[in-house]
């Protein structure tokens, strides 16, 4: 991970290197007319190099391709559970968001407030996803700049393109959650670190670094595991005075975040559902990034074999540390205290792109183009899978809402079993305009909760007496869920006085229509058990 010095931003040695050269006279000099003319491929490579060497051209290319890839069919996949929560929370006022995060989702408070400020309180899922797409696009641009700072513009360009074409990048670049923003800030913090190590006497660079690390922690405290990567880089490239300054900068960032770290730790019940991850959850994350496991392994072996022969060592070392360390650290901790999930370590994917891009100084342009094409073709299937309407994001909340909206009649009631399945209504509130949510006593915004507060069994009983048709939204049991008496009471009320007329299966969700067994029959003994 040696710091590259004495080269220009594109890795080229300056023309005036301070060495004397002696022209060879006579027959030892090769006449221009006898030199072989470059072939068509060589001329094409040369033109591409000249164009991309222009200031800002490589960044613009990555930004353009990233914008196209990350916005392609961005509105197509149905939102899933967490995206529905995002849409509902950011639609609340600033005060209501702060009230909510006192008891739940404090770790996402910064994200909610940021999205609320940028898109307003009436946004649908797609505008929120576009913020993630923009963040992912900028991440690619910052990777280009990071490659330049490490000494090779070509490495930066290839790293940016590899990030853009990775299927897993598209998955989280099209999600209404903070993970693309976390990847952006992790990349910005790493770029700021490299710049600081090159010119540690510039105080503004230290301030930028501290700001980036602090912003990263505000968006996701797990992102602070990147400090382990930064420590490795500083130890490998910098003198003792710079190391001391880095410890102070990192310590200051953590100190600024200490209130968030403390209070968010008291909401650990939110991740209590996470299981102890098996080995395949770790290896699966690396495999999912490009879906070409053996190709990636082969290229990394080639990069290691090329050390000393042309592989860009700083990019390889920094990229591998970035890709592996935070992921392995979180997975290891999760063997005792489960916290591991792919989305929490998504910010390491740019590191993998940087490591693979270290081959850019070893391989010719034509072989780099072939490598990129292989990755594009190999990941094409998953690019399409992540954009499927019903299951692109695992859950079909849109299908549930459309079923209710298209088939419900005025006066129908709806019940969510359990109440957390009201998440569908959070995603598509307009779809439930024609039905009455008879179990809801207080909305989430008013009660500072995610799903609201439900009425008592007695009140639900009274409300059901006036209904002849009831829609029920339910789904498979989720991790960490257990049966609760209020949910069992609602099920008994339906079973005793209604019969299931039809059911629509929508993957993990089901929409059922219950109709009263007899118009005259009332609901008696509402709280009794049979």
């Amino acid at each position: 991970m040696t710091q590259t010095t004495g080269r220009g931003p594109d890795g080229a040695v300056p023309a005036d290197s301070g060495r004397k050269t002696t022209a060879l006279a006579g027959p030892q000099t090769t006449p221009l007319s006898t030199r072989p003319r470059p072939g068509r491929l060589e001329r094409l490579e040369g033109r591409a190099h000249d164009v991309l060497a222009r200031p800002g051209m490589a960044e613009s290319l990555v930004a353009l391709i990233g914008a196209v890839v990350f916005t392609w069919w961005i509105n197509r996949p149905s939102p899933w559970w967490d995206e529905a929560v995002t849409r509902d929370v950011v639609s609340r006022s600033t005060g209501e968001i702060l009230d909510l995060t006192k008891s739940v989702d404090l770790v996402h408070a910064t994200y909610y407030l940021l999205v609320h400020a940028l898109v307003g309180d009436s946004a649908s899922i797609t505008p929120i996803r576009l913020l993630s797409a923009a963040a992912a696009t900028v991440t690619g641009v910052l990777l280009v700049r990071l490659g330049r700072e490490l000494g090779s513009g070509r490495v930066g360009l290839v790293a940016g393109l590899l990030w853009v074409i990775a299927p897993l990048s598209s998955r989280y670049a099209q999600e209404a959650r903070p993970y693309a923003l976390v990847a952006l800030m992790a990349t910005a913090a790493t770029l700021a670190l490299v710049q600081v190590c090159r010119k540690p006497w510039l105080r503004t660079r230290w301030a930028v670094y501290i700001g980036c690390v602090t912003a990263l922690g505000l968006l996701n405290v797990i992102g602070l595991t990147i400090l382990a990567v930064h420590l490795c880089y500083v130890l490998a490239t910098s003198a003792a005075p710079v190391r001391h300054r880095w410890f102070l900068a990192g310590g200051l960032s953590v100190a600024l975040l200490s209130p968030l770290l403390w209070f968010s730790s008291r909401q650990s019940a939110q991740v209590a559902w996470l299981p102890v991850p098996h080995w395949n959850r770790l290896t699966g994350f690396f495999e999912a990034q490009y879906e070409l496991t053996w190709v990636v392994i082969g290229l990394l072996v080639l990069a290691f074999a090329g050390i000393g022969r042309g592989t860009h060592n700083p990019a390889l070392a920094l990229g591998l540390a970035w890709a592996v360390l935070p992921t392995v650290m979180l997975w290891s901790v999760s063997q005792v205290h489960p916290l591991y999930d792919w989305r929490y370590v998504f910010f390491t994917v740019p590191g993998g792109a940087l490591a693979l891009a270290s081959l850019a100084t070893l391989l010719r342009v034509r072989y780099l183009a072939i490598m990129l094409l292989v990755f594009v073709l190999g990941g094409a299937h998953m690019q399409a899978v992540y954009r499927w309407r019903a299951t692109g994001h695992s859950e079909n909340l849109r299908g549930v809402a459309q079923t209710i909206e298209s088939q419900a009649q005025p006066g129908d009631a709806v019940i969510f079993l359990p109440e957390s399945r009201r998440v569908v209504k959070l995603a598509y509130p307009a779809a439930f305009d024609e039905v009455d949510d008879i179990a809801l006593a207080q909305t989430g915004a008013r009660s500072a909760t995610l799903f609201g507060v439900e009425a008592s069994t007695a009140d639900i009983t009274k409300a059901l007496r006036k209904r002849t048709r009831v829609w029920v939204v339910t789904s498979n049991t989720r991790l960490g869920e257990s049966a609760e008496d209020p949910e069992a009471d609602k099920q008994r009320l339906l079973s005793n006085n209604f019969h299931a007329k039809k059911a629509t299966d929508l993957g993990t969700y089901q929409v059922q229509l219950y109709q009263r067994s007899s118009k005259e029959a009332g609901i008696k003994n509402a709280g009794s058990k049979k």
Side-chain angles (χ1 to χ4, degrees):
M1 201 180 290
T2 305
Q3 179 73 25
T4 302
T5 57
R7 295 175 177 265
D10 60 352
V13 177
D16 185 8
S17 61
R19 294 177 296 180
K20 293 182 180 181
T21 57
T22 303
L24 298 177
Q28 298 180 17
T29 303
T30 304
L32 293 176
S33 59
T34 62
R35 295 179 183 176
R37 293 184 61 185
R40 182 175 300 178
L41 281 177
E42 286 81 359
R43 293 197 301 271
L44 183 61
E45 289 176 351
R47 290 173 186 172
H49 179 272
D50 293 341
V51 171
L52 294 174
R54 297 174 185 172
M57 188 59 68
E59 289 87 345
S60 299
L61 177 63
V62 171
L64 176 62
I65 297 175
V68 172
V69 172
F70 294 141
T71 59
W72 171 49
W73 278 348
I74 193 170
N75 64 333
R76 196 181 190 197
S78 168
W80 74 294
W81 185 292
D82 283 11
E83 290 185 286
V85 169
T86 296
R87 195 222 66 81
D88 180 71
V89 173
V90 301
S91 69
R92 305 181 187 186
S93 67
T94 300
E96 290 171 339
I97 295 175
L98 293 175
D99 288 340
L100 171 71
T101 55
K102 291 177 183 178
S103 57
V104 66
D105 264 1
L106 179 60
V107 292
H108 298 312
T110 301
Y111 173 71
Y112 290 148
L113 292 170
L114 176 64
V115 175
H116 175 78
L118 292 177
V119 303
D121 57 4
S122 60
S124 61
I125 296 291
T126 299
I128 305 174
R129 284 179 175 174
L130 285 171
L131 294 179
S132 294
T137 301
V138 177
T139 299
V141 175
L142 292 185
L143 280 172
V144 177
R145 185 59 196 169
L146 178 58
R148 293 188 188 280
E149 291 291 336
L150 290 172
S152 174
R154 181 183 291 186
V155 166
L157 173 60
V158 175
L161 292 175
L162 283 169
W163 157 260
V164 167
I165 63 179
L168 203 62
S169 295
S170 288
R171 170 61 183 84
Y172 291 103
Q174 296 191 340
E175 178 161 304
R177 293 300 278 176
Y179 308 113
L181 285 168
V182 175
L184 168 61
M185 293 315 305
T187 307
T190 304
L191 172 59
L193 173 74
V194 174
Q195 292 176 329
V196 153
C197 290
R198 290 187 65 185
K199 296 182 178 180
W201 58 86
L202 296 179
R203 295 182 178 178
T204 54
R205 292 195 173 188
W206 286 106
V208 171
Y209 176 70
I210 293 171
C212 289
V213 173
T214 304
L216 172 62
L218 287 172
L219 288 169
N220 191 337
V221 294
I222 293 176
L224 293 177
T225 53
I226 202 170
L227 289 176
V229 179
H230 292 180
L231 173 61
C232 293
Y233 184 82
V234 170
L235 292 176
T237 64
S238 304
V242 179
R243 298 175 188 175
H244 295 157
R245 292 185 185 182
W246 180 83
F247 279 111
L248 290 174
L252 178 57
S253 297
V254 174
L256 291 172
L257 292 166
S258 57
L260 174 63
L261 295 171
W262 168 253
F263 288 108
S264 62
S265 67
R266 304 181 70 178
Q267 296 182 0
S268 59
Q270 283 186 257
V271 292
W273 60 271
L274 286 168
V276 174
H278 295 295
W279 174 254
N280 61 359
R281 290 291 294 161
L282 177 63
T283 58
F285 174 70
F286 295 115
E287 294 171 358
Q289 294 181 25
Y290 291 99
E291 298 295 330
L292 293 171
T293 305
W294 292 108
V295 173
V296 171
I297 292 175
L299 290 173
L300 290 176
V301 170
L302 178 62
F304 276 104
I307 291 177
R309 298 182 179 87
T311 296
H312 197 276
N313 298 346
L316 177 62
L318 176 59
L320 279 179
W322 184 357
V324 174
L325 274 182
T327 306
V328 173
M329 286 171 59
L330 188 62
W331 182 87
S332 300
V333 170
S334 296
Q335 302 306 305
V336 178
H337 184 70
L339 290 171
Y340 181 82
D341 195 87
W342 285 7
R343 56 187 183 272
Y344 299 153
V345 290
F346 172 66
F347 67 89
T348 65
V349 175
L354 183 64
L356 290 172
S358 66
L359 289 166
T361 51
L362 178 66
L363 303 178
R364 299 185 66 172
V365 172
R366 65 189 69 175
Y367 300 124
L368 291 174
I370 293 173
M371 180 181 78
L372 292 171
L373 180 60
V374 168
F375 278 121
V376 169
L377 296 177
H381 173 67
M382 289 307 300
Q383 291 281 5
V385 167
Y386 289 140
R387 291 166 173 82
W388 285 352
R389 288 187 179 276
T391 58
H393 288 187
S394 301
E395 296 179 340
N396 191 11
L397 301 189
R398 181 192 291 137
V400 176
Q402 288 175 342
T403 300
I404 297 290
E405 187 175 29
S406 62
Q407 301 182 30
Q409 300 174 5
D412 286 358
V414 63
I415 286 181
F416 298 94
L417 282 175
E419 65 175 316
S420 59
R421 299 322 185 254
R422 192 171 281 108
V423 70
V424 180
K425 187 178 177 182
L426 302 188
Y428 296 99
F432 293 83
D433 286 345
E434 294 296 323
V435 294
D436 297 326
D437 189 352
I438 58 173
L440 184 63
Q442 199 172 16
T443 64
R446 292 187 59 188
S447 61
T449 61
L450 289 176
F451 307 113
V453 176
E454 292 209 329
S456 65
T457 302
D459 289 337
I460 297 175
T461 301
K462 293 177 183 178
L464 280 173
R465 285 198 181 107
K466 305 174 184 178
R467 310 291 174 168
T468 58
R469 292 181 10 135
V470 180
W471 294 93
V472 175
V473 176
T474 186
S475 73
N476 300 340
T477 302
R478 300 173 69 91
L479 286 174
E481 283 188 339
S482 59
E484 298 179 2
D485 288 340
E487 307 301 343
D489 287 342
K490 287 190 292 186
Q491 184 64 63
R492 280 194 298 272
L493 291 173
L494 291 168
S495 300
N496 291 346
N497 299 276
F498 294 81
H499 67 274
K501 186 176 181 180
K502 66 176 180 179
T504 304
D505 193 353
L506 295 157
T508 57
Y509 282 78
Q510 296 86 41
V511 179
Q512 303 164 354
L513 175 61
Y514 279 77
Q515 193 159 355
R516 182 174 293 282
S517 302
S518 171
K519 292 184 179 180
E520 293 77 24
I523 299 178
K524 52 186 177 181
N525 300 325
S528 64
K529 298 182 179 180
K530 290 190 177 182

